[in-house]
């Protein structure tokens, strides 16, 4: 169907050059005149094609990526500071927000309120992961996702993780203001329990989404706030989650996002760099190509020995270098390219780089093609009270995220 705000009349004539052996009947079947008129009421009119005739497919023009997409300089920084006030420790420096505490519950309510204000479809799973979806024109397609975490280790800062939770909500709002209509749905999300402080394990929510968490192991972990009788599931139940689960295994199963590429077509995590490179090099955007992937493994690497100095570097077959390559997860080229293209469109300087810290994206790379978008942070400081990112760097990051999400949503 076609829709226009004014009356349009057109005719399409399809002609086929017929050979002498083809019949008049076949010729007439392939010769058709299609006329349609679309009134100011935007009524949809579809043209019909004669049976067995190879008529051209008529499609509406692809939704262009909007320009400009404008993010207010003050909006996200103000939201980050509002969220930072929700801390387990009311006085003293920094932010402390352990998973499933009262301050965590207040933070979750704040995130949900922003999703609802942006008119997203909000849902929460059995472990407390929060999703806010902007439904696209083809809602059955795998969506494009972006998110991070809001829990915080003791005496940390206001930007780690939280930028990647609030940034996508504002990116979606900016795209809406610009009049963009996504094909794939775009989803903002908040992961539960990325920090290991309470249960001694990181990235609980994203591990569950990727089906990379064992129920027996999760049940065995000590809850530092209830060391005698606590468990992750018990804490989740107390916080209002996991009520419709039979046990921990069932809880994990309900949170799985299924096969690779089934739920998300692509995923981006917006994050402060947590390192000094972007600031020192005066760059606006970091396009992450690999993420640190710490693991406890027992394995062997075999290389070739040689005399120090005489064995040239380019001819070395070094076992340690091979081992170093094992310890990172590679980001998806299509996601990195989308981030890079967004930075270029916004005339922002960028570089490709690795993430030396690990994030929820490490496990989301098992769910869908994944990438990360870094912005500078002051002196690379993170996980400390003086962690800081400037308003202009936040604005640049959210605008680049918005354009990258828009591009991926049309794929």
């Amino acid at each position: 169907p076609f829709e226009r705000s004014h009356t349009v009349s057109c005719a399409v004539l399809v002609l086929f050059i017929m050979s002498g052996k083809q019949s008049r009947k076949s010729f007439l079947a392939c010769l058709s005149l299609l006329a349609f008129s679309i009134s100011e009421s935007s009524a949809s009119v579809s043209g019909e094609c004669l049976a067995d005739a190879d008529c051209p497919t008529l499609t509406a023009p692809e939704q262009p990526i909007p320009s400009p997409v404008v993010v207010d300089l003050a909006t996200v920084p103000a939201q980050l500071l509002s969220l930072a006030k929700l801390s387990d420790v009311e006085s003293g420096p920094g932010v402390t927000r352990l998973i499933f505490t009262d301050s965590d519950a207040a933070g979750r309510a704040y995130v949900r309120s922003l999703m609802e204000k942006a008119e997203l479809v909000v849902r929460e799973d059995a472990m407390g992961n929060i999703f806010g979806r902007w439904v696209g024109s083809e809602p059955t397609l795998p969506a494009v996702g972006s998110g991070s975490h809001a829990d915080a280790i003791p005496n940390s800062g206001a930007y780690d993780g939280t930028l990647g939770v609030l940034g996508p909500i504002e990116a979606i709002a900016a795209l809406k203001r610009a009049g963009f209509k996504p094909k794939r749905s775009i989803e903002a999300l908040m992961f539960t329990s990325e920090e290991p402080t309470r249960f001694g394990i990181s990235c609980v929510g994203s591990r569950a989404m990727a089906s990379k968490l064992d129920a027996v192991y999760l049940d065995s972990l000590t809850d530092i706030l209830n060391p005698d009788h606590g468990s992750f599931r018990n804490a989740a139940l107390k916080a209002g989650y996991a009520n419709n689960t039979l046990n921990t295994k069932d809880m994990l199963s309900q949170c799985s996002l299924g096969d690779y590429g089934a739920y998300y077509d692509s995923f981006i995590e917006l994050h402060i760099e947590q390192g000094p490179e972007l600031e020192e090099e005066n760059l606006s955007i970091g396009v992450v190509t690999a993420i640190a992937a710490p693991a406890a493994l027992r394995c062997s690497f075999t290389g070739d020995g040689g005399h120090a100095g005489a064995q040239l570097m380019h001819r070395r077959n070094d076992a340690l270098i091979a081992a170093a390559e094992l310890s990172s997860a590679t980001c998806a080229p299509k996601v990195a390219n989308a981030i890079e293209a967004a930075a270029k469109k916004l005339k922002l300087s960028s570089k490709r780089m690795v993430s030396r810290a690990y994030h929820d994206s490490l496990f989301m790379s098992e769910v869908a093609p994944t990438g990360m978008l870094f912005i500078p942070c002051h002196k690379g400081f993170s996980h400390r009270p003086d962690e800081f990112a400037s308003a202009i760097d936040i604005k640049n990051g959210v605008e680049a995220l918005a354009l990258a999400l828009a591009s991926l949503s049309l794929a």
Side-chain angles (χ1 to χ4, degrees), residues 117-134:
K117 183 179 179 181
E119 298 182 332
L120 306 182
V121 179
V122 181
R123 74 175 180 91
E124 297 179 273
D125 68 14
M127 296 179 72
N129 297 300
I130 304 176
F131 305 78
R133 177 167 291 212
W134 182 17

Side-chain angles (χ1 to χ4, degrees), residues 362-385:
L362 171 63
F363 294 97
M364 292 306 290
S365 67
E366 300 284 337
V367 172
T370 294
M372 294 192 72
L373 192 166
F374 278 171
I375 66 166
C377 58
H378 178 59
K379 294 185 179 181
F381 293 164
S382 186
H383 278 193
R384 47 189 281 180

Side-chain angles (χ1 to χ4, degrees), residues 47-65:
E48 294 185 352
C49 187
L50 294 177
D52 302 324
D54 294 326
C55 293
T57 301
L58 302 174
T59 59
E62 187 176 82
Q63 170 72 40
I65 297 175

Side-chain angles (χ1 to χ4, degrees), residues 125-129 191-192 201-214 218 232 248-249 251-258 360 363-364 367:
D125 68 14
M127 296 179 72
N129 297 300
F191 293 105
T192 200
I201 183 175
S202 63
C203 303
V204 174
S206 54
R207 286 177 194 258
M209 291 182 192
S211 303
K212 299 295 181 182
L213 188 55
D214 180 73
L218 184 60
F232 184 95
T248 302
K249 183 178 180 179
M251 178 183 70
L252 292 174
S253 176
Q254 289 188 27
C255 295
S256 172
L257 297 184
D360 284 303
F363 294 97
M364 292 306 290
V367 172

Side-chain angles (χ1 to χ4, degrees), residues 67-80:
S67 181
V69 173
V70 179
V71 171
D72 180 72
L73 192 66
T75 298
V76 177
Q79 292 172 348
L80 288 166

Side-chain angles (χ1 to χ4, degrees), residues 272-273 275 278-279 283-285 374-378 388-390 393:
I272 59 172
E273 180 193 346
L278 293 176
E279 184 182 61
L283 298 173
S284 297
I285 300 294
F374 278 171
I375 66 166
C377 58
H378 178 59
F388 177 76
S390 71
D393 285 330

